[in-house]
Amino acid sequence: MIPPVGGIPPLATALACHMSEWAGVISPSARVLLESAVQALCVAAMEGHVCVSLRDICLDGQPVRDARDLLFSCNLVGTPEAPANNPLILDDADYLYLHRYFRYGQLLARRLVALRADGEMPPRTEAEAVLTRFFGVAGEKDEADWQRIAAALALCRRLTVISGGPGTGKTTTLTRLLACVLCLAPDTRIALAAPTGKAAMRMTEAIQSGVLAMADIIPPSLRARMPDKAGTIHRLLRFSPLSGEYYYQQDNPLPIDMLVVDEASMLDLALTAHLFSALPAHARLVLLGDKDQLSSVEAGSVFSELSENPALSAGVIQILSDITGVAPKKIAPPIVENDTGITDNVIWFTRQFRFSSDSGIARLAKAISEGSAESAVAILAQPGDASVTLREETGGISPDVTQRIQEGYAAYIEALQTDDRDKERIFGAFNRFRVLCATHEGARGVSACNQLMEREVCRHLGIPLATGRNWYKGRAVMVQRNHYALELFNGDTGITLPDERGRLMVWFPAAGGQFRAIAPVRLPEYLPAFAMTVHKSQGAEFDTLLVLLPGQKSRVMTRELLYTAITRARERVCLVADRDTLARSIQKTVQHRSGLANRLAEEYRNGGDIEARRDI
């Protein structure tokens, strides 16, 4: 096992010692292997993995078969067929799990097998009619209309996974799909959800905007039935922080007929397992996300695995052709080598509607997602394309970068100086630019950049710098923890402005283009918001971005992080990094081990009989 940066965490060491004591009388070699295995599992979970390969934790030169025998001799290791109450599970593929994560994976696999069964097919003529009504008449174009095909798949299957980058039409497709569903079955109970409050708010805004944009084809009677508000998954399942349990679960399923989850790339294994467990047996599920984005910071990159194989069988292609009017030969999804056990449920959106195919941002994002460092560097080096630029620097934040940050927020400072009552202008100026960082700490981290901008705002507004750590006009903060009573969620951003009585309040966007004020003392945990991590930016979009990458090697620098950062920009993005760091990051990809394919294979061998076995 390769030790993590900074060594083995104390918690991992403590758990390993506890397990060793629990095992009782075992051989010295078994004890050493057991402690090493537990430490490796804890570190793996911290890095997003659900399991570890036995080959990675074997002692020097130790055969895997001998390691298996040693672990089983500890009386703490079960198998998928006989897990019992053992804290560790070792499967036939030589992957070791903490029992809890194994059970989550097993539950998810069982639900996936059930969800992959064919849904109740709508009458062909009716399906054709609604698709034509909301997606237009099928054209004679050389390439297939994948938005239309994705909607058709969702009408025919109980599980639909749609993966696409920003600007590929996922929200447009969803709005039209919902209209199709409600036309076919007006009483369908539809729930909209997302992993975070910020993502739920954006989903709400996108759906509402989409319905308004389609006012000419969605009559008022249908518009009144369209779902128009999304919530967090925790709120949907009614999670209780006190008990740590969910109100809606397997024995008390959600009272819905269809669930749509946006930003599904943020889903971790545990939350996905609870969500799937709470779905009624008849319900349809649509997952929207971007397989190339960063996955959850918790263990398990579920969406990337679910969306890995977009293969469609000949039978499903014919069904889709029949109800879409698209010729079968045009319904040709990309061919991939990995067989995850999930086919006929996945659609990839690759056509860009926000950018032209030759735009710098689109070409750079494509090069990064394909792992082509050479192409990415070449795109950044091309003269004349201001949409993507590279500022080659090492070390901390240089005077030139400082100036770029100041220029990025100049319109925001001007808006504060002009009229601090004009919240729409102030928020608009603030949200046009953002600084993204790979890390919190360090010379180019979030903390250093936020300190720089807080001093800059105070200087321009004539506020003594000593008060920059206190509340002042123009202070922007990001909420770090959900507060349901205040309807504030992790990632919500507010700006400090005076109210009508001159009191400083933190203002947050509200429905209908309004703003609501919260007293600073009432806020849950928060951080300054002039700079944010790439992880926190997921789902957000800004006109212009300045992306600060570490000036030294960092394990967080990966292809997925770069891709996520680049695709947050609508118009321009400037990377601050040296070429070697950039190239290494593009070539390093995150491969979270979860064993989901193994669990699916086991379920298929067992016939996928969910009712015969209780889940959790």
Side-chain angles (χ1 to χ4, degrees), residues 1-3 29 32-34 36-37 53-67 70:
M1 181 187 70
I2 300 174
S29 56
V32 171
L33 181 62
L34 175 64
S36 176
S53 172
L54 201 55
R55 293 171 179 80
D56 293 337
I57 56 177
C58 284
L59 305 178
D60 292 341
Q62 184 180 43
V64 172
R65 174 51 59 184
D66 291 351
L70 282 174

Side-chain angles (χ1 to χ4, degrees), residues 185-231:
D187 295 329
T188 302
R189 298 168 298 175
I190 302 173
L192 307 177
T196 68
K198 184 170 65 173
M201 183 178 70
R202 286 193 299 269
M203 187 183 190
T204 297
E205 293 170 349
I207 291 292
Q208 291 175 350
S209 298
V211 171
L212 287 176
M214 295 169 58
D216 57 332
I217 57 174
I218 299 183
S221 58
L222 177 57
R223 202 179 310 157
R225 297 198 304 272
M226 291 280 284
D228 62 355
K229 189 169 184 179

Side-chain angles (χ1 to χ4, degrees), residues 51-58 90 93-96 593:
C51 56
V52 295
S53 172
L54 201 55
R55 293 171 179 80
D56 293 337
I57 56 177
C58 284
L90 181 60
D94 297 324
Y95 282 103
L96 186 68
R593 294 184 294 269

